[in-house]
Amino acid sequence: MADAEPLPLAFANHLARDRRRSAHTVRAYQATAERLLAFLRGHWGGEVGRAELAKVSAADLRAYLAARRGEGLTNVSAARELSAVRGFLKFAGGGDIEMPRVRGPRVKKGVPRPVSPQEAMALAEEASEDAAEPWIAARDWAVLLLLYGAGMRIGEAVGLTGAVLPLGETLRVTGKRGKTRIVPLLPQVREAVEAYAAQTPWGVSKDAPLFRGAKGGPLPPGAIRKAVRKARAHLGLSERTTPHALRHSFATHLLGRGADLRALQELLGHASLSSTQIYTQVDAAHLLDVYRNAHPRA
């Protein structure tokens, strides 16, 4: 009996309805599913349905990734593609198929540098996609966006209470030594936090932690670190890609766009300007590396 709707569309509807994934992720994963089916039809020379997808081998997936890399896919994008493929195969098999073991591409390790915007978003998406429950996926996505999109420390993010809701364009954050600061919130960050708050089974109250652990207690920072470790392994990212690296990336990317050091100091909650000045060194090192790789005379 044929499926009532094409598998990629059914997968997309599952992600949007059951997993509460962002529209961007749904579109990207549906496109990956469509590309995989098109490749397998040519690779095997026939139509591909659920029964055929259950027989996909590691060799088939390596051939697919090789074809995609031939189209110019970067290491991070290829690793993300493999993650989407795994999700699609798991969905198509009803969670009962044995997943082919394929190692994702490794990202070349070089000098210390900030996580790129593409890598930061891929990391957040991968961590949330691997969550056990949709509300946990929404939680991890929201916390990681607070680190990268608002430059918060992980302790500051998990320490938020329900009193911060409803969110506005800024958020008052209490940092080290009880120092408070105001950080702007991008619309995407506000939407992520609000989506989590709407899904959490523990409810939200002003005097209780906003982010909860799986059993309802305060969310320990270790749970986010564990999700990031697993996600970066899937994506082939460096071990330097930690939750705190997302905060570093927030600072470096702002500085690269012309942010003033004093303003950056306030956004990060640094007690002294000397703590913020390290980002000028990181940014200069990154620019020098780009120059050496791109300039014909370098």
Side-chain angles (χ1 to χ4, degrees), residues 271-289:
S272 66
L273 190 61
S274 60
S275 299
T276 312
Q277 286 173 330
I278 186 175
Y279 295 107
T280 63
Q281 300 169 19
V282 173
D283 194 55
H286 176 58
L287 288 175
L288 183 58
D289 190 57

Side-chain angles (χ1 to χ4, degrees), residues 53-58 61 86 89-90 93-102:
L53 287 173
K55 301 174 184 177
V56 169
S57 68
L61 292 188
R86 288 192 182 108
L89 293 177
K90 184 177 180 181
D96 297 327
I97 68 172
E98 184 175 348
M99 202 63 58
R101 297 181 67 85
V102 177

